[in-house]
Amino acid sequence: MRSSPSIVPTDRLDRDIYLVLEDFGARAGCAWRETDEADTDLETFLRDILSGQYAYPLRIVCFNAIEGWSRDATSDVADALSERIANNDAEVSQALQDFIQANGTRPFNLQLALPLPLRSVA
């Protein structure tokens, strides 16, 4: 059997690609988010989700077409978000907190900064 050439552009996509299934509400439903090719790496995705570009993510899929694999990366991303939030004291929406708590494999304990009254030491 003769093999046909790949339709995957090998010069640009020899890396892991992350795509997001997002819930747009009862009327619109769920859809895979359209994303620029340059914004599909993990670092960019984490930065985008923390900045609020994804309101209600449900599932994150990672794949590498050149290597021929795909996997559900939802829990890995939730754990990475949890760690990044803890390290950077980032503000987190309730929807993102819910996503991390529902999908993370590590406990997500968000400690809010509270103003402490100053006491004089006598």
Side-chain angles (χ1 to χ4, degrees), residues 4-27:
S4 57
S6 173
I7 62 171
V8 177
T10 58
D11 60 331
R12 296 189 331 230
L13 295 178
D14 191 12
R15 61 183 174 83
D16 297 352
I17 307 293
Y18 289 81
L19 296 178
V20 180
L21 179 65
E22 186 163 8
D23 185 353
F24 292 100
R27 293 190 63 182

PDB file of all heavy atoms in Angstrom, residues 4-27:
ATOM      1  N   SER A   4       0.287   8.152   1.703  1.00  0.00           N
ATOM      2  CA  SER A   4       0.140   9.513   1.194  1.00  0.00           C
ATOM      3  C   SER A   4       0.905  10.464   2.104  1.00  0.00           C
ATOM      4  O   SER A   4       1.123  10.179   3.279  1.00  0.00           O
ATOM      5  CB  SER A   4      -1.330   9.900   1.111  1.00  0.00           C
ATOM      6  OG  SER A   4      -1.930   9.763   2.374  1.00  0.00           O
ATOM      7  N   PRO A   5       1.284  11.614   1.589  1.00  0.00           N
ATOM      8  CA  PRO A   5       2.028  12.563   2.422  1.00  0.00           C
ATOM      9  C   PRO A   5       1.139  13.107   3.538  1.00  0.00           C
ATOM     10  O   PRO A   5      -0.074  13.197   3.414  1.00  0.00           O
ATOM     11  CB  PRO A   5       2.420  13.669   1.446  1.00  0.00           C
ATOM     12  CG  PRO A   5       1.484  13.543   0.303  1.00  0.00           C
ATOM     13  CD  PRO A   5       1.069  12.101   0.243  1.00  0.00           C
ATOM     14  N   SER A   6       1.770  13.479   4.636  1.00  0.00           N
ATOM     15  CA  SER A   6       1.057  14.021   5.782  1.00  0.00           C
ATOM     16  C   SER A   6       0.518  15.403   5.463  1.00  0.00           C
ATOM     17  O   SER A   6       1.143  16.185   4.748  1.00  0.00           O
ATOM     18  CB  SER A   6       1.986  14.102   6.989  1.00  0.00           C
ATOM     19  OG  SER A   6       1.347  14.769   8.044  1.00  0.00           O
ATOM     20  N   ILE A   7      -0.644  15.713   6.004  1.00  0.00           N
ATOM     21  CA  ILE A   7      -1.201  17.058   5.848  1.00  0.00           C
ATOM     22  C   ILE A   7      -0.738  17.976   6.975  1.00  0.00           C
ATOM     23  O   ILE A   7      -1.056  19.152   7.009  1.00  0.00           O
ATOM     24  CB  ILE A   7      -2.738  17.024   5.796  1.00  0.00           C
ATOM     25  CG1 ILE A   7      -3.302  16.469   7.106  1.00  0.00           C
ATOM     26  CG2 ILE A   7      -3.229  16.260   4.596  1.00  0.00           C
ATOM     27  CD1 ILE A   7      -4.795  16.603   7.244  1.00  0.00           C
ATOM     28  N   VAL A   8       0.006  17.429   7.935  1.00  0.00           N
ATOM     29  CA  VAL A   8       0.501  18.205   9.070  1.00  0.00           C
ATOM     30  C   VAL A   8       1.761  18.952   8.645  1.00  0.00           C
ATOM     31  O   VAL A   8       2.709  18.345   8.165  1.00  0.00           O
ATOM     32  CB  VAL A   8       0.820  17.274  10.261  1.00  0.00           C
ATOM     33  CG1 VAL A   8       1.394  18.073  11.416  1.00  0.00           C
ATOM     34  CG2 VAL A   8      -0.411  16.513  10.671  1.00  0.00           C
ATOM     35  N   PRO A   9       1.788  20.278   8.794  1.00  0.00           N
ATOM     36  CA  PRO A   9       2.997  21.030   8.432  1.00  0.00           C
ATOM     37  C   PRO A   9       4.110  20.771   9.436  1.00  0.00           C
ATOM     38  O   PRO A   9       4.100  21.286  10.539  1.00  0.00           O
ATOM     39  CB  PRO A   9       2.544  22.492   8.463  1.00  0.00           C
ATOM     40  CG  PRO A   9       1.359  22.501   9.360  1.00  0.00           C
ATOM     41  CD  PRO A   9       0.729  21.140   9.276  1.00  0.00           C
ATOM     42  N   THR A  10       5.078  19.963   9.076  1.00  0.00           N
ATOM     43  CA  THR A  10       6.123  19.539  10.007  1.00  0.00           C
ATOM     44  C   THR A  10       7.057  20.668  10.427  1.00  0.00           C
ATOM     45  O   THR A  10       7.688  20.585  11.467  1.00  0.00           O
ATOM     46  CB  THR A  10       6.972  18.412   9.401  1.00  0.00           C
ATOM     47  OG1 THR A  10       7.545  18.876   8.181  1.00  0.00           O
ATOM     48  CG2 THR A  10       6.135  17.182   9.165  1.00  0.00           C
ATOM     49  N   ASP A  11       7.140  21.713   9.651  1.00  0.00           N
ATOM     50  CA  ASP A  11       8.064  22.790   9.995  1.00  0.00           C
ATOM     51  C   ASP A  11       7.539  23.697  11.099  1.00  0.00           C
ATOM     52  O   ASP A  11       8.287  24.441  11.699  1.00  0.00           O
ATOM     53  CB  ASP A  11       8.396  23.629   8.755  1.00  0.00           C
ATOM     54  CG  ASP A  11       7.162  24.264   8.145  1.00  0.00           C
ATOM     55  OD1 ASP A  11       6.067  23.697   8.272  1.00  0.00           O
ATOM     56  OD2 ASP A  11       7.298  25.337   7.525  1.00  0.00           O
ATOM     57  N   ARG A  12       6.228  23.642  11.422  1.00  0.00           N
ATOM     58  CA  ARG A  12       5.667  24.572  12.394  1.00  0.00           C
ATOM     59  C   ARG A  12       5.036  23.905  13.604  1.00  0.00           C
ATOM     60  O   ARG A  12       4.828  24.556  14.607  1.00  0.00           O
ATOM     61  CB  ARG A  12       4.615  25.445  11.724  1.00  0.00           C
ATOM     62  CG  ARG A  12       5.198  26.310  10.655  1.00  0.00           C
ATOM     63  CD  ARG A  12       4.239  27.336  10.122  1.00  0.00           C
ATOM     64  NE  ARG A  12       2.850  26.980  10.183  1.00  0.00           N
ATOM     65  CZ  ARG A  12       2.011  27.061   9.173  1.00  0.00           C
ATOM     66  NH1 ARG A  12       2.431  27.472   8.013  1.00  0.00           N
ATOM     67  NH2 ARG A  12       0.749  26.747   9.332  1.00  0.00           N
ATOM     68  N   LEU A  13       4.690  22.656  13.525  1.00  0.00           N
ATOM     69  CA  LEU A  13       3.919  22.060  14.608  1.00  0.00           C
ATOM     70  C   LEU A  13       4.610  20.903  15.314  1.00  0.00           C
ATOM     71  O   LEU A  13       3.949  20.041  15.858  1.00  0.00           O
ATOM     72  CB  LEU A  13       2.545  21.608  14.091  1.00  0.00           C
ATOM     73  CG  LEU A  13       1.624  22.729  13.629  1.00  0.00           C
ATOM     74  CD1 LEU A  13       0.329  22.153  13.113  1.00  0.00           C
ATOM     75  CD2 LEU A  13       1.359  23.707  14.747  1.00  0.00           C
ATOM     76  N   ASP A  14       5.916  20.880  15.308  1.00  0.00           N
ATOM     77  CA  ASP A  14       6.618  19.811  16.009  1.00  0.00           C
ATOM     78  C   ASP A  14       6.778  20.184  17.477  1.00  0.00           C
ATOM     79  O   ASP A  14       7.866  20.379  17.986  1.00  0.00           O
ATOM     80  CB  ASP A  14       7.975  19.541  15.371  1.00  0.00           C
ATOM     81  CG  ASP A  14       8.593  18.260  15.907  1.00  0.00           C
ATOM     82  OD1 ASP A  14       7.874  17.494  16.581  1.00  0.00           O
ATOM     83  OD2 ASP A  14       9.785  18.034  15.664  1.00  0.00           O
ATOM     84  N   ARG A  15       5.630  20.332  18.151  1.00  0.00           N
ATOM     85  CA  ARG A  15       5.577  20.669  19.564  1.00  0.00           C
ATOM     86  C   ARG A  15       4.212  20.271  20.091  1.00  0.00           C
ATOM     87  O   ARG A  15       3.321  19.927  19.335  1.00  0.00           O
ATOM     88  CB  ARG A  15       5.828  22.161  19.777  1.00  0.00           C
ATOM     89  CG  ARG A  15       4.800  23.043  19.087  1.00  0.00           C
ATOM     90  CD  ARG A  15       5.137  24.500  19.274  1.00  0.00           C
ATOM     91  NE  ARG A  15       4.269  25.354  18.512  1.00  0.00           N
ATOM     92  CZ  ARG A  15       3.061  25.748  18.888  1.00  0.00           C
ATOM     93  NH1 ARG A  15       2.567  25.354  20.035  1.00  0.00           N
ATOM     94  NH2 ARG A  15       2.337  26.526  18.135  1.00  0.00           N
ATOM     95  N   ASP A  16       4.054  20.357  21.402  1.00  0.00           N
ATOM     96  CA  ASP A  16       2.774  20.027  22.014  1.00  0.00           C
ATOM     97  C   ASP A  16       1.800  21.179  21.813  1.00  0.00           C
ATOM     98  O   ASP A  16       2.160  22.347  21.997  1.00  0.00           O
ATOM     99  CB  ASP A  16       2.941  19.756  23.505  1.00  0.00           C
ATOM    100  CG  ASP A  16       3.839  18.550  23.764  1.00  0.00           C
ATOM    101  OD1 ASP A  16       4.203  17.851  22.804  1.00  0.00           O
ATOM    102  OD2 ASP A  16       4.175  18.325  24.942  1.00  0.00           O
ATOM    103  N   ILE A  17       0.568  20.854  21.443  1.00  0.00           N
ATOM    104  CA  ILE A  17      -0.481  21.832  21.184  1.00  0.00           C
ATOM    105  C   ILE A  17      -1.563  21.649  22.246  1.00  0.00           C
ATOM    106  O   ILE A  17      -1.982  20.524  22.530  1.00  0.00           O
ATOM    107  CB  ILE A  17      -1.119  21.600  19.798  1.00  0.00           C
ATOM    108  CG1 ILE A  17      -0.069  21.558  18.689  1.00  0.00           C
ATOM    109  CG2 ILE A  17      -2.221  22.613  19.517  1.00  0.00           C
ATOM    110  CD1 ILE A  17       0.631  22.850  18.439  1.00  0.00           C
ATOM    111  N   TYR A  18      -2.043  22.747  22.842  1.00  0.00           N
ATOM    112  CA  TYR A  18      -3.094  22.713  23.860  1.00  0.00           C
ATOM    113  C   TYR A  18      -4.334  23.412  23.321  1.00  0.00           C
ATOM    114  O   TYR A  18      -4.245  24.550  22.852  1.00  0.00           O
ATOM    115  CB  TYR A  18      -2.622  23.413  25.146  1.00  0.00           C
ATOM    116  CG  TYR A  18      -1.588  22.628  25.882  1.00  0.00           C
ATOM    117  CD1 TYR A  18      -0.252  22.660  25.496  1.00  0.00           C
ATOM    118  CD2 TYR A  18      -1.936  21.820  26.963  1.00  0.00           C
ATOM    119  CE1 TYR A  18       0.711  21.916  26.162  1.00  0.00           C
ATOM    120  CE2 TYR A  18      -0.978  21.081  27.640  1.00  0.00           C
ATOM    121  CZ  TYR A  18       0.333  21.136  27.222  1.00  0.00           C
ATOM    122  OH  TYR A  18       1.270  20.399  27.890  1.00  0.00           O
ATOM    123  N   LEU A  19      -5.468  22.711  23.389  1.00  0.00           N
ATOM    124  CA  LEU A  19      -6.754  23.263  22.974  1.00  0.00           C
ATOM    125  C   LEU A  19      -7.739  23.175  24.128  1.00  0.00           C
ATOM    126  O   LEU A  19      -7.684  22.250  24.935  1.00  0.00           O
ATOM    127  CB  LEU A  19      -7.295  22.520  21.760  1.00  0.00           C
ATOM    128  CG  LEU A  19      -6.473  22.634  20.475  1.00  0.00           C
ATOM    129  CD1 LEU A  19      -7.107  21.808  19.368  1.00  0.00           C
ATOM    130  CD2 LEU A  19      -6.330  24.083  20.043  1.00  0.00           C
ATOM    131  N   VAL A  20      -8.692  24.116  24.167  1.00  0.00           N
ATOM    132  CA  VAL A  20      -9.607  24.246  25.302  1.00  0.00           C
ATOM    133  C   VAL A  20     -11.058  24.063  24.862  1.00  0.00           C
ATOM    134  O   VAL A  20     -11.506  24.704  23.913  1.00  0.00           O
ATOM    135  CB  VAL A  20      -9.468  25.637  25.949  1.00  0.00           C
ATOM    136  CG1 VAL A  20     -10.395  25.790  27.129  1.00  0.00           C
ATOM    137  CG2 VAL A  20      -8.034  25.881  26.356  1.00  0.00           C
ATOM    138  N   LEU A  21     -11.769  23.208  25.588  1.00  0.00           N
ATOM    139  CA  LEU A  21     -13.215  23.104  25.449  1.00  0.00           C
ATOM    140  C   LEU A  21     -13.803  24.030  26.502  1.00  0.00           C
ATOM    141  O   LEU A  21     -13.526  23.880  27.688  1.00  0.00           O
ATOM    142  CB  LEU A  21     -13.691  21.670  25.680  1.00  0.00           C
ATOM    143  CG  LEU A  21     -15.197  21.451  25.578  1.00  0.00           C
ATOM    144  CD1 LEU A  21     -15.688  21.708  24.152  1.00  0.00           C
ATOM    145  CD2 LEU A  21     -15.548  20.038  26.002  1.00  0.00           C
ATOM    146  N   GLU A  22     -14.589  25.020  26.060  1.00  0.00           N
ATOM    147  CA  GLU A  22     -15.125  26.007  26.993  1.00  0.00           C
ATOM    148  C   GLU A  22     -16.648  25.989  26.971  1.00  0.00           C
ATOM    149  O   GLU A  22     -17.265  25.776  25.939  1.00  0.00           O
ATOM    150  CB  GLU A  22     -14.618  27.404  26.639  1.00  0.00           C
ATOM    151  CG  GLU A  22     -15.023  28.426  27.664  1.00  0.00           C
ATOM    152  CD  GLU A  22     -14.223  29.704  27.587  1.00  0.00           C
ATOM    153  OE1 GLU A  22     -13.437  29.889  26.647  1.00  0.00           O
ATOM    154  OE2 GLU A  22     -14.379  30.526  28.489  1.00  0.00           O
ATOM    155  N   ASP A  23     -17.229  26.242  28.134  1.00  0.00           N
ATOM    156  CA  ASP A  23     -18.681  26.331  28.283  1.00  0.00           C
ATOM    157  C   ASP A  23     -19.085  27.792  28.106  1.00  0.00           C
ATOM    158  O   ASP A  23     -18.694  28.648  28.895  1.00  0.00           O
ATOM    159  CB  ASP A  23     -19.086  25.823  29.663  1.00  0.00           C
ATOM    160  CG  ASP A  23     -20.581  25.778  29.855  1.00  0.00           C
ATOM    161  OD1 ASP A  23     -21.329  26.258  28.973  1.00  0.00           O
ATOM    162  OD2 ASP A  23     -21.019  25.259  30.896  1.00  0.00           O
ATOM    163  N   PHE A  24     -19.888  28.073  27.090  1.00  0.00           N
ATOM    164  CA  PHE A  24     -20.330  29.436  26.806  1.00  0.00           C
ATOM    165  C   PHE A  24     -21.731  29.712  27.333  1.00  0.00           C
ATOM    166  O   PHE A  24     -22.336  30.715  27.002  1.00  0.00           O
ATOM    167  CB  PHE A  24     -20.261  29.711  25.299  1.00  0.00           C
ATOM    168  CG  PHE A  24     -18.855  29.756  24.781  1.00  0.00           C
ATOM    169  CD1 PHE A  24     -18.306  28.660  24.128  1.00  0.00           C
ATOM    170  CD2 PHE A  24     -18.070  30.880  24.959  1.00  0.00           C
ATOM    171  CE1 PHE A  24     -17.007  28.704  23.658  1.00  0.00           C
ATOM    172  CE2 PHE A  24     -16.765  30.929  24.492  1.00  0.00           C
ATOM    173  CZ  PHE A  24     -16.239  29.838  23.838  1.00  0.00           C
ATOM    174  N   GLY A  25     -22.248  28.802  28.155  1.00  0.00           N
ATOM    175  CA  GLY A  25     -23.560  29.027  28.755  1.00  0.00           C
ATOM    176  C   GLY A  25     -24.640  28.189  28.099  1.00  0.00           C
ATOM    177  O   GLY A  25     -24.425  27.514  27.092  1.00  0.00           O
ATOM    178  N   ALA A  26     -25.832  28.251  28.677  1.00  0.00           N
ATOM    179  CA  ALA A  26     -26.952  27.409  28.247  1.00  0.00           C
ATOM    180  C   ALA A  26     -27.365  27.673  26.800  1.00  0.00           C
ATOM    181  O   ALA A  26     -27.680  26.732  26.062  1.00  0.00           O
ATOM    182  CB  ALA A  26     -28.138  27.621  29.175  1.00  0.00           C
ATOM    183  N   ARG A  27     -27.348  28.897  26.384  1.00  0.00           N
ATOM    184  CA  ARG A  27     -27.797  29.209  25.016  1.00  0.00           C
ATOM    185  C   ARG A  27     -26.767  28.852  23.962  1.00  0.00           C
ATOM    186  O   ARG A  27     -27.108  28.368  22.888  1.00  0.00           O
ATOM    187  CB  ARG A  27     -28.156  30.684  24.916  1.00  0.00           C
ATOM    188  CG  ARG A  27     -29.381  31.010  25.738  1.00  0.00           C
ATOM    189  CD  ARG A  27     -29.885  32.373  25.465  1.00  0.00           C
ATOM    190  NE  ARG A  27     -30.292  32.431  24.059  1.00  0.00           N
ATOM    191  CZ  ARG A  27     -30.755  33.499  23.473  1.00  0.00           C
ATOM    192  NH1 ARG A  27     -30.883  34.606  24.155  1.00  0.00           N
ATOM    193  NH2 ARG A  27     -31.087  33.491  22.212  1.00  0.00           N
TER     194      ARG A  27
END
